[in-house]
Amino acid sequence: MKRIILLFLFIPVLIYGQDTIRISDLGLSPGSRVNAVPFVNKAMDKCKGKTNVVLVFEKGRYDFWPQYSNEKDYFISNTNYIFPRYCVFVVEKTKNLTIDCDGSDFIFHGRLQPFTVDSSENISIKNVSIDWEIPFGAEAEIVEVNPGYFDLKIDTKQFPYVIENNKLFFVGEGWKNLWGGVKWNDPMQFDRETLEVTAGTDDDLLGENWEKKYNARELCEGVVRITYHNTGLLKKGNYFVLRHGYRDHAGIFITDSKNVHLENINMYSNLGLSYLAQYSENLTYLNVNCLPNPHRKIISGHDDGLHFSNCRGQITVEGCTMKGLMDDSFNVHGTYVIVSEKVNDKTLVCKFPHFQSIGMIWARKGESVAFIDGQTMKNYGTGLVESVQLKTPETFEVTFKDVVPKEVKTSDALENISWEPDVTIRNCYFGNHRARGVLISSGGKIIIDSNTFESSGSAIVFPGDIKSYFENGPIKDATISNNLFKVSCLTSMYMTCEAIISISLEVPAFDAKNPPIHKNIMIFNNTFELYDYPALYALSVDGISFSNNKMKYSNMHKPWHPRKFNLTFEACRNIEVKGNVIEKDVLGKNIKLLQTKPSELKLAKGQGFLIE
Amino acid sequence: MKRIILLFLFIPVLIYGQDTIRISDLGLSPGSRVNAVPFVNKAMDKCKGKTNVVLVFEKGRYDFWPQYSNEKDYFISNTNYIFPRYCVFVVEKTKNLTIDCDGSDFIFHGRLQPFTVDSSENISIKNVSIDWEIPFGAEAEIVEVNPGYFDLKIDTKQFPYVIENNKLFFVGEGWKNLWGGVKWNDPMQFDRETLEVTAGTDDDLLGENWEKKYNARELCEGVVRITYHNTGLLKKGNYFVLRHGYRDHAGIFITDSKNVHLENINMYSNLGLSYLAQYSENLTYLNVNCLPNPHRKIISGHDDGLHFSNCRGQITVEGCTMKGLMDDSFNVHGTYVIVSEKVNDKTLVCKFPHFQSIGMIWARKGESVAFIDGQTMKNYGTGLVESVQLKTPETFEVTFKDVVPKEVKTSDALENISWEPDVTIRNCYFGNHRARGVLISSGGKIIIDSNTFESSGSAIVFPGDIKSYFENGPIKDATISNNLFKVSCLTSMYMTCEAIISISLEVPAFDAKNPPIHKNIMIFNNTFELYDYPALYALSVDGISFSNNKMKYSNMHKPWHPRKFNLTFEACRNIEVKGNVIEKDVLGKNIKLLQTKPSELKLAKGQGFLIE
């Protein structure tokens, strides 16, 4: 009886507390194939001014074209700058909004950003698959390999192409991309059976300057002959991914927002980073996936999968699958900015060092900033921000409350330490993709637990990069536990792939005499399926434990990695290795200490590790 | 020497007299696949205010999407009313503009009107092919015919479809059309060899209510089984055209304009009438064509080819090819409006009687209007317009300078006789299309000379229609000479197809006692390839001559037409038949007089015609 009374008391709250807007009430039916964008605009207008709304799509297919999309000027981290960005769902200055798509398929056409969450709080997007009619990347089957050429079978409906002046161009709705027209878009080969990047192949599949040297000719509809010298790496029957085009829109873009919840989302295609959050706080992703649409074999997102730039609070990623991505599966980092001018003892001019991360409001009044030696990544002090003024998209002026350290000099870096998220990655899968699995650059509490990795390069990388991509910051507290690193891990070489777990530094002048940059990394209860030597490489860590892990042997692939040690510690302190179980056939069974005093290693007995 | 001097005198005129705007200078290159529409808008803006401009496209492919197209509110004759119409090129209030596309391919995507010429003078559009990536009509090959079903092979790239609830839907860029969802869109069968509408088949190919009765099922990609009782008319190997969707945009739309010149244009597809002019004056079309794109077999325009509604001055159509149209090739007519109320002795309320011809400013001050008996089409007076006021899209009020005739009554019609063009059709081809060839309803000087006809229905129709489509007016002076009517003519039945040349009246109550409605029709030096009887049917003509024509026999098809006479004159006066040559096997060799006194026929001797 009490329960019933309670129920009756709650019902009005449920009914009156929340507005439900049904897209069907605005005239849009699933499967109609009309451009859904004007209906979405109408729905978002209706949401404005309300603070507790659920926007509901009836299950089905919806199509989206650029017409009537919102033209926005955004600087999007790790993404090329273009204006305008064509945005479909724009959740802007909104609180407590849920977009529930009921398992619908959202099919996009042309250059678009499906979802944008900007300056909003308590936003939930769920139950949707995102795909493009014509994806921004093509896959083919290798049907012939010969000394002077190879033939590709391409589904011309999904991946329409034209050949002009002996070059292959992919064409879509409002775009045309030369295969080989964009740097870094090297082709990839995937194994016919495992759908993994073919072991022993990587970005260098066709060697240097392939894009200038190849010729394309159509043999018949859907079969293209690529005239090119045989690099010996291509195999008939395998899949060949032809990457093309710029990254200039994200899949789901979250900026300057708080408490964003994504759930039950499949991203089958896009033209940039799949899930990109920047300057946002408290992000929860449950069953949020990148994977190839069942009617494709390999490709999903154009670049990274889950990407967090300059975020803070708690990032939780659980039960997510990252497959078929053409770049790293997961990346969380801040952005180092470089001092280009000392205006006075409180004011610096800084520049964004990477062209794909510019134009951001990098810090706000009251935030803490660390001063970092640009050569060694040494932190030599902190300051409180008084104001930040963007001067150009590439440069800004920052004034501190107090005088900045005397050491500050041009080419030193700043790190915004007010934006260092805690990260939990649990029960996820990372595989069938190019490049690295999980990249972490954050001083927050990092938990990588109970995941399965089949990443082509390293499974986990702590890159510590102040040289190439300038993605801060160093690790201060990380746990890597209960993960399964399957035999496909580290079958290809990419940047900083020193071992399955690769803790590294990208600095102009590393000096082992300085105190370590990374701290407190616990690696335990993981299973490594090893066909090669390197399981762990750790550079410049103070406090690292490798314990209770299983190391199994597989002869699935040929060992190839230049590093011939299971565990390598370089310039590390306070190392603990204990309780690990190593199968007898595991190669090496050894530990290498580089620039590390043997006394820094506490090695438990009876594991069979040899110190070299 | 003189020539050189003249040349030097002219060059500055050529250079300074005309502005040339190159679309490439505005940043658009051929073959780029980007949406050309914003560049076109920029170009049209640049043309504004100038009076002598050539807009030049470099030869190549250009693509057009609805994004950034001009959203206009037009009433378009013989076309469904929708708002907005999405218009790409809009030439508005412009003088002396040439758009020269240098032989380019313009590929449209989605529901668009490629060219609109509105309230402009001396406009020339030339050297362009117009097509759609996904056309608004589908063609298939009949691969199996069985008592209970037939199978269609459909190119899913050109004609993508989905099947839902056992019904076939064609889908395109922003649209989805149920096959059978729009009245009149009956399917058509075309002969595999000749590509003509299969002799003996027409709109009734599948009988009544086929759209409700059929079931569709996909056997494999691109093969669809239509479960349906066998009408005995389908033949394996033939082509089957699945018409679908509404006509709501024209291909080239000319309204309220003067001196428009079209030249060297191929229209491969569209979603309405191909070349539609209304309330315009002096129109010259040279080598202006509708035909299937070489990568298709049958279909070109969705409906009519060359259509002129309420035009005046000289219409010249020369060297044009009309193939693959799903409605009449050529139609020139005015619009009868029906008197719905006599407000006072000078003012009438009129309504547009056909839903696809509404909203027009039907007449202007000073124009002459004829008063027409709504039952018999008898003209019983004229009046001068003082003013016209649109009341709703369907009705308007017209006030005359003088008192209107006393006879004017509700349901009588008005004809605007100030808008009756002279028409010359020369050296054209009309064939491989549904319905009739050339329809003329104009009291101007009509010349149909040196054309070739392979129309499915009648080759030439003077419909005189005040009952069905209300397309005025009667013929006053027509010449049909030197034409070749090939054996495919009149192999199918459509409205008013009484003979290869069918001069008719669609009136509620025809009375042979009234004076004839049509006048002065000269038919000479033509060649008729006849497999059946009827070459000419003439109803209600005063002054008709059929002379020096050749009538050949062919056994290509079986005779089927209910009219068993070569020449039929009904309610005619002043008939002349002379100098004709009839091959011996021609069926009938006879003339039928209906409600016509034998004394009205002057038949020259020795031609072999029997009067029945």
Side-chain angles (χ1 to χ4, degrees):
Chain A
M1 188 61 197
K2 219 176 192 178
R3 275 194 200 153
I4 291 167
I5 290 168
L6 274 170
L7 195 66
F8 273 88
L9 283 171
F10 277 123
I11 284 172
V13 178
L14 288 169
I15 293 173
Y16 295 108
Q18 206 171 51
D19 271 328
T20 297
I21 296 171
R22 290 179 187 281
I23 200 83
S24 55
D25 290 343
L26 302 176
L28 180 64
S29 304
S32 70
R33 300 271 179 153
V34 301
N35 185 7
V37 174
F39 299 92
V40 169
N41 289 342
K42 231 188 277 177
M44 298 318 287
D45 278 351
K46 271 182 163 288
C47 294
K48 264 177 203 155
K50 291 175 181 155
T51 54
N52 203 4
V53 181
V54 186
L55 170 59
V56 178
F57 284 75
E58 189 189 328
K59 185 173 176 151
R61 172 181 168 135
Y62 296 87
D63 285 82
F64 303 84
W65 277 269
Q67 192 180 22
Y68 304 122
S69 66
N70 300 280
E71 301 184 13
K72 293 282 186 179
D73 191 6
Y74 284 122
F75 288 96
I76 302 186
S77 188
N78 295 69
T79 298
N80 284 16
Y81 178 73
I82 57 158
F83 174 80
R85 318 265 187 193
Y86 295 98
C87 304
V88 177
F89 289 82
V90 181
V91 179
E92 209 174 9
K93 293 177 189 147
T94 298
K95 282 187 184 180
N96 308 325
L97 169 67
T98 295
I99 301 175
D100 185 346
C101 308
D102 194 23
S104 290
D105 294 308
F106 281 11
I107 310 295
F108 294 83
H109 303 260
R111 304 193 82 79
L112 283 172
Q113 184 157 285
F115 288 92
T116 302
V117 179
D118 178 12
S119 309
S120 295
E121 276 180 43
N122 306 328
I123 304 300
S124 177
I125 301 170
K126 55 189 189 182
N127 305 323
V128 64
S129 293
I130 291 168
D131 200 2
W132 262 258
E133 185 77 19
I134 300 177
F136 296 89
E139 56 188 40
E141 193 186 328
I142 303 171
V143 290
E144 193 61 60
V145 180
N146 231 287
Y149 64 82
F150 55 96
D151 296 340
L152 299 175
K153 193 174 157 201
I154 301 170
D155 177 346
T156 60
K157 219 162 116 183
Q158 294 201 64
F159 314 109
Y161 63 79
V162 295
I163 293 173
E164 290 174 8
N165 300 319
N166 301 317
K167 291 291 177 192
L168 181 59
F169 294 81
F170 288 93
V171 292
E173 294 161 287
W175 53 268
K176 177 183 181 183
N177 293 336
L178 168 61
W179 181 50
V182 174
K183 213 179 157 185
W184 300 307
N185 274 350
D186 293 305
M188 301 297 297
Q189 183 180 202
F190 289 76
D191 191 82
R192 185 174 190 84
E193 302 306 323
T194 64
L195 305 180
E196 300 288 349
V197 174
T198 307
T201 74
D202 51 32
D203 292 338
D204 210 29
L205 185 66
L206 296 188
E208 286 289 300
N209 295 318
W210 61 271
E211 70 280 4
K212 293 189 192 112
K213 292 188 255 174
Y214 84 88
N215 278 313
R217 178 163 70 89
E218 190 175 53
L219 300 185
C220 61
E221 206 205 303
V223 180
V224 174
R225 174 157 296 174
I226 306 295
T227 308
Y228 194 74
H229 69 271
N230 191 348
T231 58
L233 297 170
L234 296 182
K235 193 179 148 195
K236 189 171 162 173
N238 276 353
Y239 297 107
F240 188 85
V241 169
L242 306 103
R243 301 165 62 210
H244 58 73
Y246 289 102
R247 49 165 87 172
D248 54 31
H249 289 76
I252 295 184
F253 174 55
I254 300 163
T255 187
D256 300 284
S257 294
K258 214 165 153 177
N259 306 330
V260 180
H261 181 97
L262 306 183
E263 192 169 347
N264 301 334
I265 301 179
N266 290 334
M267 185 88 70
Y268 293 130
S269 180
N270 56 53
L271 54 162
L273 282 63
S274 291
Y275 303 93
L276 172 60
Q278 67 187 25
Y279 295 100
S280 292
E281 198 174 336
N282 301 335
L283 306 164
T284 308
Y285 297 179
L286 306 180
N287 189 29
V288 159
N289 311 305
C290 291
L291 63 178
N293 190 310
H295 63 262
R296 294 177 200 130
K297 288 285 176 191
I298 303 292
I299 53 164
S300 66
H302 191 274
D303 300 294
D304 292 14
L306 301 154
H307 199 113
F308 305 86
S309 170
N310 298 284
C311 289
R312 69 180 174 191
Q314 176 64 44
I315 294 173
T316 300
V317 171
E318 282 201 24
C320 299
T321 295
M322 294 290 124
K323 271 190 182 180
L325 290 159
M326 290 306 130
D327 212 336
D328 308 319
S329 277
F330 187 107
N331 192 349
V332 56
H333 65 87
T335 299
Y336 283 121
V337 295
I338 303 299
V339 177
S340 59
E341 190 191 337
K342 199 167 168 179
V343 179
N344 57 47
D345 61 1
K346 286 184 174 180
T347 301
L348 305 172
V349 174
C350 297
K351 64 177 183 199
F352 291 105
H354 193 266
F355 78 99
Q356 282 174 329
S357 290
I358 58 169
M360 326 261 175
I361 305 302
W362 180 81
R364 283 135 290 260
K365 183 173 176 172
E367 292 179 0
S368 292
V369 164
F371 298 95
I372 307 290
D373 185 288
Q375 293 298 301
T376 62
M377 212 192 272
K378 191 183 155 187
N379 176 332
Y380 59 79
T382 59
L384 277 180
V385 172
E386 184 58 38
S387 69
V388 165
Q389 189 69 46
L390 205 62
K391 289 164 68 88
T392 69
E394 290 81 13
T395 59
F396 63 89
E397 201 172 78
V398 52
T399 301
F400 290 90
K401 194 158 172 275
D402 302 308
V403 170
V404 302
K406 272 187 205 143
E407 302 99 301
V408 172
K409 62 185 182 302
T410 299
S411 88
D412 273 1
L414 305 185
E415 186 182 341
N416 186 341
I417 52 176
S418 289
W419 290 82
E420 289 193 297
D422 299 332
V423 179
T424 300
I425 305 170
R426 191 166 268 141
N427 294 323
C428 294
Y429 172 86
F430 304 94
N432 300 68
H433 68 86
R434 181 183 163 270
R436 289 85 50 94
V438 170
L439 278 76
I440 308 272
S441 304
S442 169
K445 184 168 182 59
I446 310 300
I447 298 169
I448 304 172
D449 181 69
S450 302
N451 305 287
T452 301
F453 290 87
E454 298 194 286
S455 301
S456 167
S458 291
I460 296 173
V461 179
F462 299 159
D465 177 1
I466 203 169
K467 199 173 90 179
S468 300
Y469 292 96
F470 301 90
E471 297 181 349
N472 77 13
I475 299 298
K476 288 174 195 156
D477 178 0
T479 297
I480 300 173
S481 55
N482 302 307
N483 299 290
L484 172 59
F485 300 99
K486 296 192 78 172
V487 70
S488 305
C489 289
L490 198 59
T491 47
S492 304
M493 194 53 173
Y494 310 92
M495 196 178 159
T496 63
C497 287
E498 298 293 337
I500 289 173
I501 298 172
S502 186
I503 301 159
S504 187
L505 282 185
E506 282 277 311
V507 293
F510 176 70
D511 187 349
K513 279 175 229 127
N514 289 327
I517 300 292
H518 298 296
K519 282 192 190 79
N520 305 328
I521 298 175
M522 313 293 283
I523 304 167
F524 58 89
N525 287 350
N526 302 288
T527 301
F528 294 82
E529 293 178 0
L530 294 171
Y531 70 93
D532 201 348
Y533 294 78
L536 170 68
Y537 170 79
L539 172 64
S540 192
V541 186
D542 185 352
I544 178 161
S545 167
F546 188 84
S547 63
N548 300 322
N549 300 292
K550 271 187 208 138
M551 298 172 81
K552 295 182 169 181
Y553 174 69
S554 164
N555 62 359
M556 180 92 142
H557 307 295
K558 278 189 192 154
W560 62 276
H561 202 283
R563 195 168 293 285
K564 300 298 179 195
F565 311 101
N566 302 130
L567 313 178
T568 302
F569 299 97
E570 184 166 0
C572 287
R573 296 182 190 171
N574 299 309
I575 309 161
E576 182 186 56
V577 176
K578 65 172 185 187
N580 301 292
V581 179
I582 315 169
E583 264 188 11
K584 78 169 176 12
D585 292 332
V586 166
L587 301 177
K589 297 199 199 73
N590 51 4
I591 296 173
K592 180 74 173 177
L593 299 180
L594 292 166
Q595 303 186 78
T596 298
K597 285 185 204 152
S599 61
E600 297 289 349
L601 171 61
K602 259 208 277 180
L603 175 63
K605 279 179 189 164
Q607 297 179 72
F609 274 126
L610 189 74
I611 300 174
E612 309 212 8
Chain B
M1 188 61 197
K2 221 177 189 176
R3 275 191 200 156
I4 291 168
I5 291 168
L6 273 171
L7 195 66
F8 274 89
L9 283 171
F10 276 124
I11 283 172
V13 177
L14 288 170
I15 293 174
Y16 295 109
Q18 208 170 48
D19 270 329
T20 297
I21 296 171
R22 291 178 187 283
I23 200 83
S24 56
D25 290 344
L26 302 176
L28 180 64
S29 305
S32 71
R33 301 270 179 153
V34 301
N35 184 8
V37 173
F39 299 92
V40 168
N41 289 343
K42 230 187 279 177
M44 299 317 289
D45 278 351
K46 270 183 164 284
C47 293
K48 262 177 203 156
K50 291 175 182 159
T51 55
N52 202 4
V53 182
V54 186
L55 170 59
V56 179
F57 284 75
E58 190 189 327
K59 186 174 175 150
R61 172 181 169 135
Y62 297 87
D63 286 81
F64 303 84
W65 276 268
Q67 192 181 22
Y68 304 122
S69 65
N70 301 279
E71 300 184 13
K72 293 283 185 179
D73 191 6
Y74 284 122
F75 289 96
I76 302 186
S77 188
N78 295 68
T79 298
N80 284 18
Y81 177 73
I82 58 158
F83 174 79
R85 317 264 188 193
Y86 295 97
C87 304
V88 177
F89 288 83
V90 180
V91 180
E92 208 174 9
K93 294 178 188 145
T94 298
K95 282 186 182 180
N96 309 324
L97 169 68
T98 295
I99 301 174
D100 185 347
C101 308
D102 194 24
S104 289
D105 294 308
F106 281 11
I107 309 296
F108 294 83
H109 303 260
R111 304 192 81 80
L112 283 171
Q113 184 158 284
F115 287 93
T116 301
V117 178
D118 177 13
S119 309
S120 294
E121 276 180 43
N122 306 326
I123 304 300
S124 177
I125 300 169
K126 56 190 188 182
N127 305 322
V128 64
S129 293
I130 291 168
D131 200 0
W132 261 258
E133 184 76 17
I134 300 176
F136 297 89
E139 57 188 41
E141 193 185 326
I142 303 171
V143 290
E144 193 62 59
V145 180
N146 231 286
Y149 63 83
F150 56 95
D151 296 340
L152 299 175
K153 193 174 158 202
I154 301 170
D155 177 346
T156 60
K157 219 161 115 184
Q158 294 200 64
F159 314 110
Y161 62 79
V162 294
I163 293 173
E164 290 173 8
N165 300 320
N166 301 316
K167 291 291 176 190
L168 181 59
F169 294 80
F170 288 92
V171 292
E173 295 161 288
W175 53 267
K176 177 183 180 183
N177 292 335
L178 168 61
W179 180 50
V182 175
K183 213 179 157 184
W184 299 309
N185 275 349
D186 293 305
M188 301 297 297
Q189 183 180 203
F190 289 77
D191 190 83
R192 185 173 189 84
E193 301 306 324
T194 64
L195 307 180
E196 301 287 350
V197 175
T198 307
T201 74
D202 51 33
D203 292 336
D204 209 30
L205 185 64
L206 296 187
E208 286 288 301
N209 295 319
W210 61 271
E211 69 280 3
K212 292 189 193 114
K213 292 187 255 173
Y214 85 88
N215 278 314
R217 177 163 71 90
E218 190 175 53
L219 300 185
C220 61
E221 206 204 303
V223 180
V224 175
R225 174 157 296 174
I226 306 295
T227 308
Y228 195 74
H229 69 271
N230 191 348
T231 59
L233 296 170
L234 296 182
K235 194 179 147 196
K236 188 171 165 174
N238 277 353
Y239 297 107
F240 188 85
V241 169
L242 305 103
R243 301 164 63 210
H244 58 73
Y246 289 102
R247 48 165 87 173
D248 54 31
H249 289 77
I252 295 183
F253 174 55
I254 300 163
T255 187
D256 301 283
S257 293
K258 215 166 153 175
N259 307 329
V260 179
H261 181 98
L262 306 182
E263 192 170 347
N264 302 332
I265 301 179
N266 290 335
M267 186 88 70
Y268 293 130
S269 180
N270 56 53
L271 54 161
L273 282 64
S274 292
Y275 303 92
L276 171 60
Q278 67 188 24
Y279 295 99
S280 292
E281 197 173 336
N282 302 333
L283 306 164
T284 308
Y285 297 0
L286 307 179
N287 189 28
V288 159
N289 311 306
C290 291
L291 64 177
N293 189 309
H295 63 261
R296 294 178 200 129
K297 287 285 176 192
I298 303 291
I299 53 164
S300 65
H302 191 273
D303 300 292
D304 293 14
L306 301 154
H307 198 112
F308 305 86
S309 170
N310 298 282
C311 289
R312 69 180 174 191
Q314 176 64 44
I315 293 173
T316 300
V317 171
E318 282 201 24
C320 300
T321 295
M322 293 291 124
K323 270 189 182 179
L325 290 159
M326 289 306 130
D327 211 335
D328 308 318
S329 278
F330 187 107
N331 191 350
V332 56
H333 66 87
T335 299
Y336 283 120
V337 294
I338 303 299
V339 177
S340 58
E341 189 192 337
K342 199 169 167 176
V343 179
N344 57 46
D345 61 0
K346 287 184 173 179
T347 300
L348 305 172
V349 174
C350 298
K351 65 175 183 199
F352 291 105
H354 193 267
F355 78 99
Q356 282 174 328
S357 289
I358 58 169
M360 325 261 175
I361 305 301
W362 181 81
R364 283 136 290 259
K365 183 173 177 171
E367 292 180 0
S368 294
V369 163
F371 298 96
I372 308 289
D373 184 287
Q375 295 297 301
T376 63
M377 212 192 272
K378 191 184 155 188
N379 177 333
Y380 58 80
T382 60
L384 276 180
V385 172
E386 184 58 38
S387 69
V388 166
Q389 190 69 43
L390 206 61
K391 288 164 68 89
T392 70
E394 290 81 14
T395 59
F396 63 90
E397 202 172 77
V398 52
T399 302
F400 290 89
K401 195 158 171 275
D402 303 309
V403 170
V404 302
K406 273 186 207 144
E407 303 99 300
V408 171
K409 62 185 183 301
T410 298
S411 88
D412 272 2
L414 305 186
E415 185 181 341
N416 186 340
I417 53 176
S418 289
W419 290 83
E420 288 194 296
D422 299 331
V423 179
T424 299
I425 305 169
R426 191 166 268 141
N427 294 321
C428 294
Y429 172 86
F430 304 95
N432 300 69
H433 68 86
R434 180 183 164 270
R436 291 83 52 93
V438 169
L439 277 75
I440 308 272
S441 303
S442 169
K445 184 169 182 57
I446 310 300
I447 298 168
I448 304 172
D449 181 69
S450 302
N451 305 287
T452 301
F453 291 87
E454 299 195 286
S455 301
S456 167
S458 291
I460 297 173
V461 179
F462 299 158
D465 177 0
I466 203 168
K467 199 173 88 179
S468 301
Y469 292 96
F470 300 90
E471 297 181 347
N472 78 13
I475 299 298
K476 289 172 192 155
D477 178 1
T479 298
I480 300 173
S481 55
N482 302 306
N483 299 289
L484 172 60
F485 300 100
K486 296 192 78 171
V487 71
S488 307
C489 289
L490 199 57
T491 48
S492 305
M493 194 54 175
Y494 309 92
M495 195 178 158
T496 62
C497 288
E498 298 293 336
I500 291 172
I501 298 171
S502 184
I503 302 158
S504 187
L505 282 185
E506 283 277 311
V507 293
F510 176 69
D511 187 348
K513 280 176 227 126
N514 288 328
I517 301 292
H518 298 296
K519 282 191 190 80
N520 305 327
I521 299 174
M522 315 292 283
I523 304 167
F524 58 88
N525 287 351
N526 302 286
T527 301
F528 295 82
E529 294 178 359
L530 294 170
Y531 71 93
D532 201 346
Y533 295 79
L536 170 68
Y537 170 79
L539 172 64
S540 192
V541 188
D542 186 353
I544 179 163
S545 167
F546 187 86
S547 63
N548 300 323
N549 299 291
K550 272 187 206 135
M551 298 171 81
K552 294 181 168 183
Y553 174 69
S554 164
N555 62 358
M556 181 92 141
H557 308 295
K558 278 189 191 155
W560 62 276
H561 202 282
R563 196 167 292 285
K564 300 298 179 194
F565 311 100
N566 302 132
L567 313 180
T568 301
F569 299 98
E570 184 165 359
C572 286
R573 296 181 191 172
N574 298 310
I575 310 160
E576 182 187 57
V577 176
K578 66 172 187 186
N580 301 290
V581 178
I582 315 170
E583 264 188 11
K584 77 172 176 14
D585 292 330
V586 166
L587 301 176
K589 297 199 199 74
N590 52 4
I591 298 173
K592 180 74 174 179
L593 299 180
L594 293 167
Q595 302 185 75
T596 299
K597 285 185 204 153
S599 61
E600 296 288 350
L601 170 62
K602 259 207 274 180
L603 174 63
K605 281 179 188 162
Q607 296 178 71
F609 275 125
L610 190 75
I611 300 175
E612 308 212 7

